[in-house]
Amino acid sequence: MSMTFSGQVALVTGGAAGIGRATALAFAAEGLRVVVSDVDATGGEGTVELIRSAGGEATFIRCDVTRDAEVKALMDGVVAAYGRLDYAFNNAGIEIEKGKLAEGSEAEFDAIMGVNVKGVWLCMKHEIPLLLAQGGGAIVNTASVAGLGAAPKMSIYAASKHAVIGLTKSAAIEYAKKKVRVNAVCPAVIDTDMFRRAYEADPKKAEFAAAMHPVGRVGKVEEIAAAVLYLCSDGASFTTGHSLAVDGGATAI
């Protein structure tokens, strides 16, 4: 299926590594000009270099998505660099919780909700006017399989991803007739640097993580990137308000 993206512009937040980097590279490989954003400037610039070395066009803009002024400046930077915005992948997120609900702290709650929920809300708030100015476009938000059910010892994280799905569905309905589609991608456990750091000291935990998925392995960042590109493509032109699980069958159990 042709993605028909050539010459358009995509924004990827959380683009310094992992799923964000893979998606930025995938967008660029389809001919899009890509704005990469993250609080990690070194990683973000690294993603841009990878795109440019492959013959693509990309720009890095540092942004803390929890701050309205910085998100507004990011959108201004997108317009200054490329004159338009067609697609946005709101992927910036954190995952720092490792205990039962009653063991959580207010600081953890504020940090997780700040990036995962407020960050997505602020990005959509400032992206949607740019998409409307273009006559439409598509947004994909990173939720999680934790947003589709329970996540023991990660209750705040799960709540944040349920909230992302709520924001996604609400925005999708509000702007459906304006040709702005809004969907979410819901990964299960994905082989990222974060995953490797968490499990490298305990191979048995890594084996358990793989066994959580009926396909018998964890996911690849490229598989999430492919889902994001599909949701942005013309092939998904009748799809909005959807939360796409990319989970190796985990939510089918």
Side-chain angles (χ1 to χ4, degrees):
M1 179 182 68
S2 174
M3 292 292 184
T4 65
F5 287 134
S6 184
Q8 295 176 307
V9 177
L11 166 65
V12 177
T13 69
I19 292 169
R21 171 173 283 182
T23 305
L25 290 168
F27 272 133
E30 291 292 336
L32 284 99
R33 295 168 289 171
V34 183
V35 176
V36 177
S37 185
D38 205 296
V39 292
D40 176 3
T42 300
E45 292 284 8
T47 300
V48 167
E49 278 304 307
L50 288 171
I51 290 171
R52 290 175 177 169
S53 66
E57 187 174 353
T59 299
F60 174 73
I61 302 175
R62 188 189 183 281
C63 177
D64 178 349
V65 296
T66 69
R67 298 182 178 276
D68 182 82
E70 291 195 26
V71 176
K72 176 62 167 61
L74 170 61
M75 302 308 155
D76 290 343
V78 171
V79 174
Y82 298 124
R84 59 189 289 163
L85 178 65
D86 299 282
Y87 309 102
F89 179 38
N90 297 320
N91 172 67
I94 59 173
E95 180 182 346
I96 59 175
E97 183 185 9
K98 295 181 180 179
K100 293 181 179 179
L101 188 146
E103 299 165 357
S105 70
E106 186 177 7
E108 285 178 320
F109 184 93
D110 290 345
I112 293 171
M113 290 294 182
V115 178
N116 292 2
V117 183
K118 183 182 178 183
V120 169
W121 172 71
L122 282 174
C123 284
M124 287 202 293
K125 172 184 170 66
H126 292 292
E127 290 159 355
I128 287 169
L130 298 185
L131 298 180
L132 292 174
Q134 286 296 124
I139 294 172
V140 179
N141 298 319
T142 298
S144 167
V145 293
L148 299 172
K153 296 188 178 180
M154 296 174 61
S155 58
I156 304 170
Y157 178 80
S160 75
K161 294 305 185 177
H162 278 268
V164 168
I165 291 173
L167 288 170
T168 297
K169 290 182 176 181
S170 299
I173 300 306
E174 289 174 354
Y175 295 97
K177 288 186 171 61
K178 298 292 186 180
K179 298 184 180 179
V180 174
R181 296 185 298 104
V182 188
N183 293 290
V185 65
C186 299
V189 181
I190 305 300
D191 186 6
T192 62
D193 291 341
M194 182 185 296
F195 168 78
R196 293 174 188 177
R197 286 194 300 269
Y199 292 103
E200 65 184 354
D202 192 342
K204 288 186 177 180
K205 285 187 178 180
E207 291 174 8
F208 175 75
M212 291 168 53
H213 311 86
V215 298
R217 64 174 175 84
V218 299
K220 302 174 183 178
V221 292
E222 293 82 6
E223 291 170 320
I224 308 304
V228 174
L229 263 67
Y230 164 70
L231 289 171
C232 288
S233 76
D234 289 344
S237 59
F238 200 53
T239 302
T240 195
H242 181 62
S243 301
L244 177 61
V246 187
D247 64 355
T251 56
I253 298 173

